[in-house]
Amino acid sequence: MELNKYSSRLTQVRSQVGSRAMLYATGLKEEDFDKPQIGIASMGWDGNPCNMHLNELAELVKNGVVDASMIGYVFHTIGVSDGISMGTTGMKYSLQSRDIIADSIETVAAAQWYDGVIALPGCDKNMPGSVMAMARLNRPSIMVYGGTIRPGNFHSNKLDIVSAFEAWGQYVTKKIDEDELDDVLKHACPGAGACGGMYTANTMASAIETIGLSLPYSSSIPATSDDKREECVRAGAAMKTLLEKELTPDKILTRKAFENAITVVIALGGSTNAVLHLLAMAHSAGVELDIDDFQRFSDKTPFLADLKPSGKFVMEDLYDVGGVPAVQKLLLKEGFLHGDCLTVTGKTMEENLEELPGLKEGQTIISPVSEPIKKTGHLSILYGNLAEEGAVAKITGKEGTHFKGTARVFNSEEESLQGISDGKVQSGDVVIIRYEGPKGGPGMREMLSVTSAIMGAGLGNDVALITDGRFSGGTHGFVVGHITPEAQTGGLIALVEDGDTVSIDAVENRIEVDISDAEIARRRKNWNPPAYKAKRGALFKYIRNVSSASQGCVTDA
Ligand SMILES: CC(C)(O)[C@@H](O)C(=O)O
Ligand SMILES: [Mg+2]
């Protein structure tokens, strides 16, 4: 069988003289022209711990590709560091970077006729962006996750990036001083790797490994470990198998595989961003999935993992007790997963797991299914007059299931942070942060600075926060995001005023503001949508193209 189905369009067609001349210049010899060509998409760049080691890993991937008698071409795409841009207008570029990554990998691989793609992503948006491109291209593909960061150690406390955000809340409320704050910042991120708790990067890597597009353990192997380097080299041989079996993403990205991913995200207590990203990945793959599917699986999947942000442990700890495959093995045994889904090993999930160990005896990170942290999932899809097209809540149970309070309205993240510093937010308030939606923000910033300030200020159990923006995987507390329709497009969230009563019911899955129809009509008459915040450039294009949060914020609908 010919493995160079795509690249042969350049290498085997006599008239493609320009192609052949230029390929000679890249170092190919005559005997290389019938080898498959693999595009290696590195999201490496120096300025972000999640990504700063990826170019080096890409060279290891290339070695593995060459060892398997194929040609490897490393190319690059962009990234945004959520951790670095958080709390600033820079974060408006974060979500759209997912679609730029997808577009750029699709562009290079399609234009250059690569026979397969191996992607090396690190930070949050890199993983879904890579998979969206793989689905669109539908050529054999493997994602090698850049890996999780190790925890920082300080006075025998395990620190991570969220420790830094929460330290700020402690500092402004005078619980720690300047020196203690500095110590946290200096120790929070000890090297390369994506944020260490079950935050968005580790959530998406776990979801994608479960879907079957990464080799087993990819999501839990730490970034700086020898195991990660070894995984990179192994990807070449795995790619060869995929080419031989013609195992394309459409055979892996099935409805059942997405159901498995949702189940694992819920068992692990993963980021609310998984809702957006899995919807977008399903859209690229042509798989039917909607936000209500998340409720269906949340209703029947137990929340098991004592991982940060709501728990104690980090991804490296999970790796030490068996990693994501051991969690899959438990869930498969208990009947929560479809074992017959194909993966990039060329085998099914069940076949992969047969050869792999289960959770280590005596471990305390993953609860048994009979004694979960919470019987049902932490993700809820809420509806009501405040979210006629849906909203996503993260309720781990520690915060309770109902909240009724007084609206404290802010028209941006900055306003809300100022409000908290000024002591405007008090126990019993429902903090509303609006005009932060996909079009209004634009770009649905993550409200991690705000939720961490609330936590750090000790208000975590006493206030709720709702927004048409989104949350970091590091956010915990009583929070509802992705409110759709967003304020910018006239959702009722735009008409709420200070002092209104808002109720959130995470049992009945409702989110309502108590205003009469007559009052709503009166307020609506006086409301005009504010001007878009971008008038040209990338964010303007984003505003024009982006779909709602309930549709995954895709830009090609
Ligand atoms: C900075 C974080 C924690 O990585 C965040 O961006 C997330 O979404 O989890
Ligand atoms: Mg993020």
Side-chain angles (χ1 to χ4, degrees), residues 391-551:
V392 179
K394 184 178 192 182
I395 315 270
T396 56
K398 298 188 175 162
E399 323 73 6
T401 49
H402 293 76
F403 199 100
K404 189 170 187 166
T406 312
R408 192 68 54 220
V409 181
F410 301 100
N411 287 327
S412 68
E413 183 188 7
E414 285 80 358
E415 264 189 29
S416 72
L417 275 168
Q418 191 59 51
I420 293 168
S421 310
D422 295 348
K424 277 194 193 145
V425 172
Q426 274 155 21
S427 175
D429 282 351
V430 176
V431 177
I432 298 184
I433 310 176
R434 65 189 178 195
Y435 298 107
E436 288 289 356
K439 288 179 189 288
M444 281 188 98
R445 288 191 284 182
E446 293 178 350
M447 301 298 145
L448 179 62
S449 303
V450 187
T451 57
S452 301
I454 289 173
M455 280 290 163
L459 284 166
N461 290 321
D462 309 315
V463 303
L465 189 152
I466 73 173
T467 179
D468 52 8
R470 61 195 172 102
F471 297 111
S472 153
T475 286
H476 54 132
F478 206 111
V479 297
V480 184
H482 307 205
I483 297 248
T484 308
E486 58 171 303
Q488 180 75 43
T489 61
L492 188 58
I493 189 175
L495 305 183
V496 179
E497 292 177 2
D498 277 345
D500 288 344
T501 301
V502 174
S503 48
I504 305 160
D505 178 340
V507 175
E508 295 297 323
N509 300 325
R510 304 293 300 168
I511 180 161
E512 312 268 359
V513 56
D514 188 11
I515 333 177
S516 70
D517 289 348
E519 178 60 11
I520 292 175
R522 188 191 68 78
R523 291 185 194 177
R524 195 168 288 288
K525 246 207 201 127
N526 297 327
W527 181 82
N528 283 307
Y532 286 140
K533 292 185 192 113
K535 305 228 159 17
R536 58 186 64 80
L539 292 181
F540 178 68
K541 286 199 248 180
Y542 193 67
I543 294 169
R544 290 276 287 255
N545 290 325
V546 71
S547 69
S548 77
S550 291
Q551 293 168 334

Side-chain angles (χ1 to χ4, degrees), residues 82-83 86 124 161-162 195 199-201 271 273 446 448 471-474:
D82 284 16
M86 194 74 67
D124 302 0
I161 184 64
V162 177
C195 302
Y199 308 141
T200 306
S271 167
N273 282 314
E446 293 178 350
L448 179 62
F471 297 111
S472 153

Side-chain angles (χ1 to χ4, degrees), residues 55-337:
N55 288 337
E56 199 190 320
L57 294 186
E59 289 308 315
L60 298 175
V61 171
K62 183 169 174 167
N63 293 345
V65 165
V66 171
D67 285 349
S69 308
M70 303 184 292
I71 308 297
Y73 285 124
V74 176
F75 65 95
H76 300 90
T77 175
I78 58 126
V80 166
S81 168
D82 284 16
I84 295 176
S85 66
M86 194 74 67
T88 76
T89 52
M91 190 65 193
K92 297 184 182 195
Y93 287 88
S94 162
L95 188 55
Q96 59 123 24
S97 74
R98 180 191 73 188
D99 296 60
I100 295 178
I101 290 166
D103 291 352
S104 59
I105 296 176
E106 176 195 342
T107 298
V108 177
Q112 304 308 127
W113 294 87
Y114 294 144
D115 298 296
V117 174
I118 302 177
L120 269 157
C123 193
D124 302 0
K125 257 57 63 182
N126 301 183
M127 281 69 74
S130 297
V131 172
M132 287 159 73
M134 291 168 178
R136 293 177 192 170
L137 290 159
N138 203 30
R139 302 177 195 183
S141 299
I142 300 176
M143 187 183 97
V144 180
Y145 178 43
T148 181
I149 196 171
R150 298 202 137 119
N153 270 312
F154 186 59
H155 293 329
S156 62
N157 280 330
K158 275 193 185 189
L159 300 182
D160 64 14
I161 184 64
V162 177
S163 319
F165 283 97
E166 294 189 357
W168 179 249
Q170 295 171 317
Y171 172 72
V172 293
T173 51
K174 306 208 164 45
K175 294 194 178 76
I176 59 173
D177 64 22
E178 186 93 46
D179 289 344
E180 289 169 296
L181 175 66
D182 269 352
D183 278 335
V184 173
L185 307 194
K186 283 179 184 147
H187 292 88
C189 304
C195 302
M198 193 40 68
Y199 308 141
T200 306
N202 285 333
T203 300
M204 291 317 299
S206 304
I208 292 163
E209 179 181 330
T210 302
I211 276 186
L213 276 176
S214 298
L215 294 170
Y217 297 106
S218 186
S219 60
S220 36
I221 300 174
T224 52
S225 66
D226 288 342
D227 291 357
K228 184 52 78 182
R229 301 175 73 82
E230 197 252 338
E231 180 197 346
C232 290
V233 178
R234 264 193 308 134
M239 175 54 74
K240 192 72 173 280
T241 307
L242 294 183
L243 290 168
E244 285 161 359
K245 295 191 176 216
E246 291 188 271
L247 187 42
T248 41
D250 58 341
K251 301 186 182 110
I252 295 174
L253 290 167
T254 60
R255 162 86 198 186
K256 278 183 175 177
F258 277 93
E259 291 183 355
N260 284 347
I262 296 174
T263 302
V264 165
V265 166
I266 289 170
L268 292 175
S271 167
T272 46
N273 282 314
V275 178
L276 285 179
H277 298 326
L278 288 171
L279 288 174
M281 286 158 50
H283 169 76
S284 299
V287 167
E288 279 201 29
L289 192 77
D290 61 46
I291 50 165
D292 300 329
D293 286 314
F294 288 83
Q295 187 63 55
R296 262 173 236 133
F297 282 87
S298 200
D299 286 341
K300 60 180 182 189
T301 309
F303 167 39
L304 301 176
D306 188 12
L307 292 167
K308 284 170 181 275
S310 61
K312 282 198 287 294
F313 296 98
V314 296
M315 191 55 138
E316 187 187 49
D317 301 322
L318 182 61
Y319 184 54
D320 292 341
V321 302
V324 168
V327 178
Q328 293 170 347
K329 206 166 163 125
L330 172 77
L331 292 169
L332 181 67
K333 194 178 112 225
E334 300 278 350
F336 290 100
L337 295 177

Side-chain angles (χ1 to χ4, degrees), residues 368-395:
V369 168
S370 55
E371 283 165 70
I373 298 176
K374 185 169 176 279
K375 276 210 185 76
T376 55
H378 64 302
L379 297 178
S380 304
I381 307 302
L382 309 183
Y383 288 96
N385 67 357
L386 264 179
E388 280 170 0
E389 292 165 28
V392 179
K394 184 178 192 182
I395 315 270

